[in-house]
Amino acid sequence: MSTFYITTAIDYINGLPHIGTAYEKITADCIARAKRLLGYDVRFCMGTDEHSINVKKKATDEGLEPQAYCDRMVPLFEEIWKNLHISYDDFIRTTDTRHKVAVTELFRRSMAKGDIYTADYKGWYCEGCEAFIQEKDLVDGKCPNHMKVPSWIEETNYFFRLSKYGEPLLKHIRANPDFIRPETRRNEIVRLIESGLDDISVSRSGFDWGIPVPGDSGHVIYVWFDALTNYISSLGFGGNDDAEFRKYWPADVHIVGKDITRFHCVIWPAMLMSCGVEVPKSVFGHGFIYHSGEKMSKSLGNIVSPLDIVGKFGADPLRYFFLREVVNGQDGDFTFERFIDRYNSDLANDLGNLVSRTVAMIHKYCGGTLPLYTRPSGGRLYEYFLELSKKWKKEIEWYNLSGACQSVMDYVKEANKYIEENAPWNLAKDPKRTGELAGILCDLSTVIVNSARLLYPFIPESSNKIWRAFGYTGDIGDSFIKNEYGVSLQVPVDTYIQNIGPIFPRIESDNVIKMSENINKNKKEEKNYVEADILQFPDFMKVDIRVGTVTAAERVEKSDKLLRLFVDDGMGGRKILAGIAQHYMPEELAGKQVLFVANLKPRRMMGEISEGMVLAAVHGEGLNVIVPDGDVPPGTKVS
Ligand code: MSP
């Protein structure tokens, strides 16, 4: 049996999934289920990315150790995925021992190859991206993904010789045109590599939340080097039992968002090349889901939780909306209005009506049991199905999920037309035409079970309900026998068809409008706060004010406002440029204690970096630096 290994990105764990992150898992789940139907031995892996700076911060805010925080979050993630019927085979956590073993092994191999060396790093780091960012990529001094000013970092780090892999990567991409999909993403990546790759820092110093660099516990391995390895640690790479690694690697496809495609198409394959491990067969970079045209974010208050929708309508309507509405690879937009329209027109009207009308007629005219009818092979709907199954397979192989879904829904529409054209209610009035009536009901039942099977990757719960109502048992996914794909199923005669009632009751728009109003209300309230310049408590808690002792002070040349203060901050010392030259002589400050903001983004002033801000009371023309009442050890936190 051919294997098929599919993965999604592993999510940062410092916030719960929203419909955007859920979209990715739904897409991958649909592919995994379809491949299982096509007879593949599928392995589908997801997980959580736990060693990020933001996790450490969030845990600290909540008074927890990072590990305890992650242990509390993981079941919440798994619960959400279970509710969306995501059928993963493995859930890897970057804090799992098996993962740490694999990351250490990979780092060691790359070191042994001579691809890792130490050097000083000076530059910007965006904590949202968990990535080093170049000055040229900043927009108005901010990271374009997170619209936040990154932190300035100066530290001795381990570097990976990414620059060495530019040519081998280009060669690989050219020789394997399907390595990066869709084509737009491939072109972006090729341009990126052609513009020249720099070596990248693969460690951070001064952190203890992460996997230590082998042989140097003063550094932890950079979170992306760590996280990317999940795709092989899940298979036991570097451990005692790597049978699954040998069976499933290289992965058939990594499904990831467009924002992180470059990590997967540049850094990850280069790491693997360095370690002598095969690279994945392909990376698919999907688009982003927006909400009413806007990026979802906490600050806008427009985040839609998958549970809000699943709790009210079930998982299938949301899965269907994304898989049918969004062209895989392109961006998509979620609005409650579009969601309800799509549901009512496709699921309630087309599929729901086909099933309920057919079941009702079998009950009304045949007592609920499918009549005996031997149809000569062929017929319009039969021919349609043969074409459909070829098309469906092709679309699935291209991960064109909306195309595959649409082709089945067209078949459903065709069957509804067939009912109108043949008007079984007229045939039922004429006892001489019961044979014809039986044929039509059998044809419709055939369309229904075949559609249920092909729609199973999209709406598994509803498909199974239909499947079982038509006399089949178990889960569609388990019922498939290899090579049966493309064979039109016939519901056996004498099968009792259960009257299951409407599977997709129409959604009344009132319900949805209320949900949408709630989200908009959140958004407005959030905006009001922003307008009123009110600092949210969690934001206030981020400000780290500390006591420092000025060890030396001097004027900054060519500035009549700035003094250069050297401050003992209890953390090795820092330099702060303070705008107090018109109020203090440098010699007045030496030995004085001050309060300063310790976690302010370093700023460039008069050509040099200032690492913080001294607090002062400003009154009219006067200014007094604020000093603690009594001597306090440098570095003491102010709260
Ligand atoms: N932890 C990294 C991935 C490491 S993989 C080795 C990460 N995590 S994330 O939680 O920020 O994002 C998880 C996935 O969700 C990513 O593929 C990301 O692109 C995707 N999405 C995040 N927001 C999204 C939308 N609004 N829409 C669609 N996908 C989105 O990145």
PDB file of all heavy atoms in Angstrom, residues 160-190:
ATOM      1  N   PHE A 160      23.852  29.104  11.328  1.00  0.00           N
ATOM      2  CA  PHE A 160      23.763  28.009  10.360  1.00  0.00           C
ATOM      3  C   PHE A 160      24.132  28.557   8.987  1.00  0.00           C
ATOM      4  O   PHE A 160      23.649  29.621   8.582  1.00  0.00           O
ATOM      5  CB  PHE A 160      22.330  27.452  10.363  1.00  0.00           C
ATOM      6  CG  PHE A 160      22.077  26.436   9.283  1.00  0.00           C
ATOM      7  CD1 PHE A 160      22.729  25.201   9.293  1.00  0.00           C
ATOM      8  CD2 PHE A 160      21.201  26.716   8.242  1.00  0.00           C
ATOM      9  CE1 PHE A 160      22.500  24.273   8.288  1.00  0.00           C
ATOM     10  CE2 PHE A 160      20.967  25.789   7.231  1.00  0.00           C
ATOM     11  CZ  PHE A 160      21.619  24.562   7.260  1.00  0.00           C
ATOM     12  N   ARG A 161      24.965  27.806   8.266  1.00  0.00           N
ATOM     13  CA  ARG A 161      25.443  28.283   6.954  1.00  0.00           C
ATOM     14  C   ARG A 161      24.360  28.114   5.883  1.00  0.00           C
ATOM     15  O   ARG A 161      24.473  27.291   4.976  1.00  0.00           O
ATOM     16  CB  ARG A 161      26.665  27.482   6.507  1.00  0.00           C
ATOM     17  CG  ARG A 161      27.894  27.765   7.318  1.00  0.00           C
ATOM     18  CD  ARG A 161      29.120  27.079   6.722  1.00  0.00           C
ATOM     19  NE  ARG A 161      30.100  26.865   7.765  1.00  0.00           N
ATOM     20  CZ  ARG A 161      30.891  27.806   8.263  1.00  0.00           C
ATOM     21  NH1 ARG A 161      30.841  29.018   7.780  1.00  0.00           N
ATOM     22  NH2 ARG A 161      31.739  27.535   9.245  1.00  0.00           N
ATOM     23  N   LEU A 162      23.321  28.930   6.012  1.00  0.00           N
ATOM     24  CA  LEU A 162      22.231  28.851   5.032  1.00  0.00           C
ATOM     25  C   LEU A 162      22.725  29.286   3.650  1.00  0.00           C
ATOM     26  O   LEU A 162      22.299  28.755   2.621  1.00  0.00           O
ATOM     27  CB  LEU A 162      21.065  29.748   5.496  1.00  0.00           C
ATOM     28  CG  LEU A 162      19.800  29.699   4.658  1.00  0.00           C
ATOM     29  CD1 LEU A 162      19.181  28.307   4.684  1.00  0.00           C
ATOM     30  CD2 LEU A 162      18.768  30.714   5.163  1.00  0.00           C
ATOM     31  N   SER A 163      23.672  30.244   3.665  1.00  0.00           N
ATOM     32  CA  SER A 163      24.147  30.804   2.384  1.00  0.00           C
ATOM     33  C   SER A 163      24.703  29.709   1.468  1.00  0.00           C
ATOM     34  O   SER A 163      24.608  29.793   0.253  1.00  0.00           O
ATOM     35  CB  SER A 163      25.223  31.852   2.648  1.00  0.00           C
ATOM     36  OG  SER A 163      26.257  31.275   3.395  1.00  0.00           O
ATOM     37  N   LYS A 164      25.239  28.649   2.091  1.00  0.00           N
ATOM     38  CA  LYS A 164      25.848  27.567   1.322  1.00  0.00           C
ATOM     39  C   LYS A 164      24.801  26.783   0.514  1.00  0.00           C
ATOM     40  O   LYS A 164      25.125  26.109  -0.449  1.00  0.00           O
ATOM     41  CB  LYS A 164      26.523  26.658   2.355  1.00  0.00           C
ATOM     42  CG  LYS A 164      27.163  25.419   1.886  1.00  0.00           C
ATOM     43  CD  LYS A 164      27.873  24.749   3.071  1.00  0.00           C
ATOM     44  CE  LYS A 164      28.036  23.262   2.854  1.00  0.00           C
ATOM     45  NZ  LYS A 164      28.554  22.572   4.033  1.00  0.00           N
ATOM     46  N   TYR A 165      23.528  26.886   0.937  1.00  0.00           N
ATOM     47  CA  TYR A 165      22.500  26.030   0.337  1.00  0.00           C
ATOM     48  C   TYR A 165      21.638  26.719  -0.728  1.00  0.00           C
ATOM     49  O   TYR A 165      20.716  26.112  -1.247  1.00  0.00           O
ATOM     50  CB  TYR A 165      21.641  25.401   1.454  1.00  0.00           C
ATOM     51  CG  TYR A 165      22.469  24.390   2.216  1.00  0.00           C
ATOM     52  CD1 TYR A 165      23.124  24.754   3.394  1.00  0.00           C
ATOM     53  CD2 TYR A 165      22.679  23.116   1.705  1.00  0.00           C
ATOM     54  CE1 TYR A 165      23.945  23.864   4.062  1.00  0.00           C
ATOM     55  CE2 TYR A 165      23.503  22.212   2.362  1.00  0.00           C
ATOM     56  CZ  TYR A 165      24.136  22.588   3.537  1.00  0.00           C
ATOM     57  OH  TYR A 165      24.956  21.696   4.169  1.00  0.00           O
ATOM     58  N   GLY A 166      21.950  27.974  -1.038  1.00  0.00           N
ATOM     59  CA  GLY A 166      21.166  28.683  -2.045  1.00  0.00           C
ATOM     60  C   GLY A 166      21.123  27.927  -3.365  1.00  0.00           C
ATOM     61  O   GLY A 166      20.051  27.623  -3.904  1.00  0.00           O
ATOM     62  N   GLU A 167      22.292  27.581  -3.877  1.00  0.00           N
ATOM     63  CA  GLU A 167      22.359  26.907  -5.190  1.00  0.00           C
ATOM     64  C   GLU A 167      21.700  25.529  -5.154  1.00  0.00           C
ATOM     65  O   GLU A 167      20.855  25.208  -5.992  1.00  0.00           O
ATOM     66  CB  GLU A 167      23.814  26.803  -5.674  1.00  0.00           C
ATOM     67  CG  GLU A 167      24.246  28.012  -6.511  1.00  0.00           C
ATOM     68  CD  GLU A 167      23.232  28.397  -7.596  1.00  0.00           C
ATOM     69  OE1 GLU A 167      22.837  27.513  -8.390  1.00  0.00           O
ATOM     70  OE2 GLU A 167      22.823  29.575  -7.654  1.00  0.00           O
ATOM     71  N   PRO A 168      22.053  24.679  -4.140  1.00  0.00           N
ATOM     72  CA  PRO A 168      21.381  23.361  -4.098  1.00  0.00           C
ATOM     73  C   PRO A 168      19.862  23.486  -3.993  1.00  0.00           C
ATOM     74  O   PRO A 168      19.129  22.705  -4.612  1.00  0.00           O
ATOM     75  CB  PRO A 168      21.947  22.713  -2.826  1.00  0.00           C
ATOM     76  CG  PRO A 168      23.237  23.418  -2.564  1.00  0.00           C
ATOM     77  CD  PRO A 168      23.129  24.786  -3.157  1.00  0.00           C
ATOM     78  N   LEU A 169      19.383  24.514  -3.289  1.00  0.00           N
ATOM     79  CA  LEU A 169      17.926  24.674  -3.169  1.00  0.00           C
ATOM     80  C   LEU A 169      17.310  25.030  -4.520  1.00  0.00           C
ATOM     81  O   LEU A 169      16.306  24.448  -4.928  1.00  0.00           O
ATOM     82  CB  LEU A 169      17.589  25.774  -2.154  1.00  0.00           C
ATOM     83  CG  LEU A 169      17.729  25.395  -0.682  1.00  0.00           C
ATOM     84  CD1 LEU A 169      17.621  26.644   0.197  1.00  0.00           C
ATOM     85  CD2 LEU A 169      16.662  24.387  -0.276  1.00  0.00           C
ATOM     86  N   LEU A 170      17.953  25.979  -5.210  1.00  0.00           N
ATOM     87  CA  LEU A 170      17.422  26.375  -6.519  1.00  0.00           C
ATOM     88  C   LEU A 170      17.407  25.180  -7.469  1.00  0.00           C
ATOM     89  O   LEU A 170      16.442  24.962  -8.203  1.00  0.00           O
ATOM     90  CB  LEU A 170      18.272  27.497  -7.110  1.00  0.00           C
ATOM     91  CG  LEU A 170      18.000  28.891  -6.548  1.00  0.00           C
ATOM     92  CD1 LEU A 170      18.986  29.895  -7.134  1.00  0.00           C
ATOM     93  CD2 LEU A 170      16.564  29.336  -6.838  1.00  0.00           C
ATOM     94  N   LYS A 171      18.465  24.402  -7.412  1.00  0.00           N
ATOM     95  CA  LYS A 171      18.566  23.229  -8.290  1.00  0.00           C
ATOM     96  C   LYS A 171      17.415  22.264  -7.980  1.00  0.00           C
ATOM     97  O   LYS A 171      16.742  21.757  -8.881  1.00  0.00           O
ATOM     98  CB  LYS A 171      19.920  22.548  -8.026  1.00  0.00           C
ATOM     99  CG  LYS A 171      20.443  21.784  -9.191  1.00  0.00           C
ATOM    100  CD  LYS A 171      21.897  21.432  -8.997  1.00  0.00           C
ATOM    101  CE  LYS A 171      22.100  20.024  -9.517  1.00  0.00           C
ATOM    102  NZ  LYS A 171      23.224  19.345  -8.955  1.00  0.00           N
ATOM    103  N   HIS A 172      17.171  22.094  -6.682  1.00  0.00           N
ATOM    104  CA  HIS A 172      16.107  21.165  -6.282  1.00  0.00           C
ATOM    105  C   HIS A 172      14.735  21.671  -6.744  1.00  0.00           C
ATOM    106  O   HIS A 172      13.915  20.906  -7.252  1.00  0.00           O
ATOM    107  CB  HIS A 172      16.114  20.983  -4.762  1.00  0.00           C
ATOM    108  CG  HIS A 172      15.090  19.993  -4.297  1.00  0.00           C
ATOM    109  ND1 HIS A 172      15.268  18.631  -4.397  1.00  0.00           N
ATOM    110  CD2 HIS A 172      13.839  20.171  -3.796  1.00  0.00           C
ATOM    111  CE1 HIS A 172      14.184  18.012  -3.967  1.00  0.00           C
ATOM    112  NE2 HIS A 172      13.296  18.922  -3.587  1.00  0.00           N
ATOM    113  N   ILE A 173      14.517  22.967  -6.574  1.00  0.00           N
ATOM    114  CA  ILE A 173      13.205  23.530  -6.940  1.00  0.00           C
ATOM    115  C   ILE A 173      12.995  23.433  -8.449  1.00  0.00           C
ATOM    116  O   ILE A 173      11.912  23.095  -8.919  1.00  0.00           O
ATOM    117  CB  ILE A 173      13.088  24.995  -6.446  1.00  0.00           C
ATOM    118  CG1 ILE A 173      13.111  25.029  -4.917  1.00  0.00           C
ATOM    119  CG2 ILE A 173      11.824  25.665  -6.970  1.00  0.00           C
ATOM    120  CD1 ILE A 173      13.261  26.415  -4.305  1.00  0.00           C
ATOM    121  N   ARG A 174      14.060  23.680  -9.200  1.00  0.00           N
ATOM    122  CA  ARG A 174      13.924  23.615 -10.671  1.00  0.00           C
ATOM    123  C   ARG A 174      13.685  22.181 -11.135  1.00  0.00           C
ATOM    124  O   ARG A 174      12.906  21.942 -12.050  1.00  0.00           O
ATOM    125  CB  ARG A 174      15.164  24.198 -11.344  1.00  0.00           C
ATOM    126  CG  ARG A 174      15.152  25.718 -11.206  1.00  0.00           C
ATOM    127  CD  ARG A 174      16.273  26.408 -11.937  1.00  0.00           C
ATOM    128  NE  ARG A 174      16.247  27.822 -11.624  1.00  0.00           N
ATOM    129  CZ  ARG A 174      17.276  28.519 -11.173  1.00  0.00           C
ATOM    130  NH1 ARG A 174      18.448  27.946 -10.998  1.00  0.00           N
ATOM    131  NH2 ARG A 174      17.130  29.809 -10.909  1.00  0.00           N
ATOM    132  N   ALA A 175      14.343  21.248 -10.460  1.00  0.00           N
ATOM    133  CA  ALA A 175      14.192  19.850 -10.892  1.00  0.00           C
ATOM    134  C   ALA A 175      12.861  19.259 -10.419  1.00  0.00           C
ATOM    135  O   ALA A 175      12.415  18.235 -10.927  1.00  0.00           O
ATOM    136  CB  ALA A 175      15.351  19.015 -10.345  1.00  0.00           C
ATOM    137  N   ASN A 176      12.251  19.899  -9.420  1.00  0.00           N
ATOM    138  CA  ASN A 176      10.997  19.355  -8.859  1.00  0.00           C
ATOM    139  C   ASN A 176       9.954  20.465  -8.816  1.00  0.00           C
ATOM    140  O   ASN A 176       9.688  21.048  -7.759  1.00  0.00           O
ATOM    141  CB  ASN A 176      11.232  18.830  -7.430  1.00  0.00           C
ATOM    142  CG  ASN A 176      12.250  17.716  -7.408  1.00  0.00           C
ATOM    143  OD1 ASN A 176      11.925  16.570  -7.636  1.00  0.00           O
ATOM    144  ND2 ASN A 176      13.502  18.083  -7.162  1.00  0.00           N
ATOM    145  N   PRO A 177       9.331  20.734  -9.954  1.00  0.00           N
ATOM    146  CA  PRO A 177       8.416  21.893 -10.010  1.00  0.00           C
ATOM    147  C   PRO A 177       7.262  21.814  -9.015  1.00  0.00           C
ATOM    148  O   PRO A 177       6.700  22.837  -8.659  1.00  0.00           O
ATOM    149  CB  PRO A 177       7.899  21.883 -11.454  1.00  0.00           C
ATOM    150  CG  PRO A 177       8.607  20.793 -12.157  1.00  0.00           C
ATOM    151  CD  PRO A 177       9.456  20.030 -11.218  1.00  0.00           C
ATOM    152  N   ASP A 178       6.935  20.606  -8.546  1.00  0.00           N
ATOM    153  CA  ASP A 178       5.833  20.505  -7.585  1.00  0.00           C
ATOM    154  C   ASP A 178       6.303  20.641  -6.137  1.00  0.00           C
ATOM    155  O   ASP A 178       5.503  20.507  -5.211  1.00  0.00           O
ATOM    156  CB  ASP A 178       5.110  19.158  -7.730  1.00  0.00           C
ATOM    157  CG  ASP A 178       4.332  19.121  -9.027  1.00  0.00           C
ATOM    158  OD1 ASP A 178       4.120  20.204  -9.613  1.00  0.00           O
ATOM    159  OD2 ASP A 178       3.961  18.014  -9.455  1.00  0.00           O
ATOM    160  N   PHE A 179       7.584  20.897  -5.957  1.00  0.00           N
ATOM    161  CA  PHE A 179       8.093  20.996  -4.584  1.00  0.00           C
ATOM    162  C   PHE A 179       7.380  22.107  -3.819  1.00  0.00           C
ATOM    163  O   PHE A 179       7.040  21.970  -2.643  1.00  0.00           O
ATOM    164  CB  PHE A 179       9.612  21.229  -4.612  1.00  0.00           C
ATOM    165  CG  PHE A 179      10.223  21.437  -3.247  1.00  0.00           C
ATOM    166  CD1 PHE A 179      10.088  20.479  -2.258  1.00  0.00           C
ATOM    167  CD2 PHE A 179      10.937  22.603  -2.956  1.00  0.00           C
ATOM    168  CE1 PHE A 179      10.651  20.663  -0.995  1.00  0.00           C
ATOM    169  CE2 PHE A 179      11.505  22.795  -1.703  1.00  0.00           C
ATOM    170  CZ  PHE A 179      11.356  21.825  -0.723  1.00  0.00           C
ATOM    171  N   ILE A 180       7.141  23.243  -4.474  1.00  0.00           N
ATOM    172  CA  ILE A 180       6.431  24.342  -3.807  1.00  0.00           C
ATOM    173  C   ILE A 180       5.159  24.632  -4.591  1.00  0.00           C
ATOM    174  O   ILE A 180       5.207  24.915  -5.782  1.00  0.00           O
ATOM    175  CB  ILE A 180       7.282  25.622  -3.755  1.00  0.00           C
ATOM    176  CG1 ILE A 180       8.633  25.324  -3.117  1.00  0.00           C
ATOM    177  CG2 ILE A 180       6.550  26.719  -2.975  1.00  0.00           C
ATOM    178  CD1 ILE A 180       9.626  26.468  -3.253  1.00  0.00           C
ATOM    179  N   ARG A 181       4.047  24.586  -3.928  1.00  0.00           N
ATOM    180  CA  ARG A 181       2.765  24.911  -4.562  1.00  0.00           C
ATOM    181  C   ARG A 181       2.015  25.875  -3.683  1.00  0.00           C
ATOM    182  O   ARG A 181       2.196  25.837  -2.463  1.00  0.00           O
ATOM    183  CB  ARG A 181       1.932  23.632  -4.751  1.00  0.00           C
ATOM    184  CG  ARG A 181       2.442  22.809  -5.930  1.00  0.00           C
ATOM    185  CD  ARG A 181       1.351  21.878  -6.421  1.00  0.00           C
ATOM    186  NE  ARG A 181       1.523  20.538  -5.898  1.00  0.00           N
ATOM    187  CZ  ARG A 181       0.546  19.624  -5.892  1.00  0.00           C
ATOM    188  NH1 ARG A 181      -0.638  19.907  -6.336  1.00  0.00           N
ATOM    189  NH2 ARG A 181       0.767  18.436  -5.418  1.00  0.00           N
ATOM    190  N   PRO A 182       1.144  26.731  -4.221  1.00  0.00           N
ATOM    191  CA  PRO A 182       0.914  26.949  -5.635  1.00  0.00           C
ATOM    192  C   PRO A 182       2.068  27.709  -6.289  1.00  0.00           C
ATOM    193  O   PRO A 182       3.023  28.102  -5.592  1.00  0.00           O
ATOM    194  CB  PRO A 182      -0.365  27.772  -5.651  1.00  0.00           C
ATOM    195  CG  PRO A 182      -0.437  28.447  -4.335  1.00  0.00           C
ATOM    196  CD  PRO A 182       0.293  27.582  -3.363  1.00  0.00           C
ATOM    197  N   GLU A 183       1.925  27.929  -7.587  1.00  0.00           N
ATOM    198  CA  GLU A 183       3.017  28.484  -8.371  1.00  0.00           C
ATOM    199  C   GLU A 183       3.456  29.867  -7.869  1.00  0.00           C
ATOM    200  O   GLU A 183       4.641  30.178  -7.863  1.00  0.00           O
ATOM    201  CB  GLU A 183       2.568  28.578  -9.820  1.00  0.00           C
ATOM    202  CG  GLU A 183       3.722  28.580 -10.775  1.00  0.00           C
ATOM    203  CD  GLU A 183       3.247  28.782 -12.198  1.00  0.00           C
ATOM    204  OE1 GLU A 183       2.081  28.445 -12.496  1.00  0.00           O
ATOM    205  OE2 GLU A 183       4.046  29.286 -13.002  1.00  0.00           O
ATOM    206  N   THR A 184       2.477  30.682  -7.434  1.00  0.00           N
ATOM    207  CA  THR A 184       2.817  32.029  -6.954  1.00  0.00           C
ATOM    208  C   THR A 184       3.810  31.943  -5.804  1.00  0.00           C
ATOM    209  O   THR A 184       4.747  32.725  -5.716  1.00  0.00           O
ATOM    210  CB  THR A 184       1.577  32.782  -6.441  1.00  0.00           C
ATOM    211  OG1 THR A 184       0.825  31.885  -5.628  1.00  0.00           O
ATOM    212  CG2 THR A 184       0.729  33.314  -7.557  1.00  0.00           C
ATOM    213  N   ARG A 185       3.593  30.975  -4.915  1.00  0.00           N
ATOM    214  CA  ARG A 185       4.515  30.828  -3.766  1.00  0.00           C
ATOM    215  C   ARG A 185       5.881  30.373  -4.256  1.00  0.00           C
ATOM    216  O   ARG A 185       6.910  30.810  -3.762  1.00  0.00           O
ATOM    217  CB  ARG A 185       4.003  29.792  -2.759  1.00  0.00           C
ATOM    218  CG  ARG A 185       2.652  30.019  -2.193  1.00  0.00           C
ATOM    219  CD  ARG A 185       2.585  30.814  -0.935  1.00  0.00           C
ATOM    220  NE  ARG A 185       1.731  31.966  -1.132  1.00  0.00           N
ATOM    221  CZ  ARG A 185       0.386  31.962  -1.147  1.00  0.00           C
ATOM    222  NH1 ARG A 185      -0.289  30.855  -0.934  1.00  0.00           N
ATOM    223  NH2 ARG A 185      -0.288  33.068  -1.352  1.00  0.00           N
ATOM    224  N   ARG A 186       5.867  29.472  -5.261  1.00  0.00           N
ATOM    225  CA  ARG A 186       7.161  28.992  -5.772  1.00  0.00           C
ATOM    226  C   ARG A 186       7.949  30.175  -6.337  1.00  0.00           C
ATOM    227  O   ARG A 186       9.141  30.318  -6.058  1.00  0.00           O
ATOM    228  CB  ARG A 186       6.946  27.929  -6.846  1.00  0.00           C
ATOM    229  CG  ARG A 186       8.283  27.370  -7.321  1.00  0.00           C
ATOM    230  CD  ARG A 186       8.152  26.201  -8.259  1.00  0.00           C
ATOM    231  NE  ARG A 186       7.581  26.583  -9.526  1.00  0.00           N
ATOM    232  CZ  ARG A 186       6.535  25.988 -10.070  1.00  0.00           C
ATOM    233  NH1 ARG A 186       5.947  24.998  -9.460  1.00  0.00           N
ATOM    234  NH2 ARG A 186       6.072  26.385 -11.231  1.00  0.00           N
ATOM    235  N   ASN A 187       7.274  31.032  -7.093  1.00  0.00           N
ATOM    236  CA  ASN A 187       7.979  32.171  -7.677  1.00  0.00           C
ATOM    237  C   ASN A 187       8.545  33.081  -6.591  1.00  0.00           C
ATOM    238  O   ASN A 187       9.677  33.558  -6.695  1.00  0.00           O
ATOM    239  CB  ASN A 187       7.037  32.956  -8.594  1.00  0.00           C
ATOM    240  CG  ASN A 187       6.634  32.110  -9.777  1.00  0.00           C
ATOM    241  OD1 ASN A 187       7.308  31.119 -10.090  1.00  0.00           O
ATOM    242  ND2 ASN A 187       5.533  32.447 -10.430  1.00  0.00           N
ATOM    243  N   GLU A 188       7.756  33.307  -5.535  1.00  0.00           N
ATOM    244  CA  GLU A 188       8.242  34.149  -4.422  1.00  0.00           C
ATOM    245  C   GLU A 188       9.528  33.570  -3.820  1.00  0.00           C
ATOM    246  O   GLU A 188      10.492  34.280  -3.565  1.00  0.00           O
ATOM    247  CB  GLU A 188       7.218  34.174  -3.273  1.00  0.00           C
ATOM    248  CG  GLU A 188       6.061  35.137  -3.422  1.00  0.00           C
ATOM    249  CD  GLU A 188       4.910  34.765  -2.458  1.00  0.00           C
ATOM    250  OE1 GLU A 188       5.165  34.167  -1.378  1.00  0.00           O
ATOM    251  OE2 GLU A 188       3.773  35.075  -2.825  1.00  0.00           O
ATOM    252  N   ILE A 189       9.492  32.256  -3.598  1.00  0.00           N
ATOM    253  CA  ILE A 189      10.638  31.609  -2.945  1.00  0.00           C
ATOM    254  C   ILE A 189      11.864  31.641  -3.860  1.00  0.00           C
ATOM    255  O   ILE A 189      12.982  31.920  -3.407  1.00  0.00           O
ATOM    256  CB  ILE A 189      10.286  30.158  -2.538  1.00  0.00           C
ATOM    257  CG1 ILE A 189       9.143  30.157  -1.506  1.00  0.00           C
ATOM    258  CG2 ILE A 189      11.504  29.404  -1.998  1.00  0.00           C
ATOM    259  CD1 ILE A 189       9.436  30.771  -0.176  1.00  0.00           C
ATOM    260  N   VAL A 190      11.646  31.397  -5.145  1.00  0.00           N
ATOM    261  CA  VAL A 190      12.778  31.420  -6.078  1.00  0.00           C
ATOM    262  C   VAL A 190      13.412  32.814  -6.072  1.00  0.00           C
ATOM    263  O   VAL A 190      14.641  32.954  -5.980  1.00  0.00           O
ATOM    264  CB  VAL A 190      12.330  31.000  -7.500  1.00  0.00           C
ATOM    265  CG1 VAL A 190      13.394  31.310  -8.533  1.00  0.00           C
ATOM    266  CG2 VAL A 190      11.996  29.512  -7.516  1.00  0.00           C
TER     267      VAL A 190
END
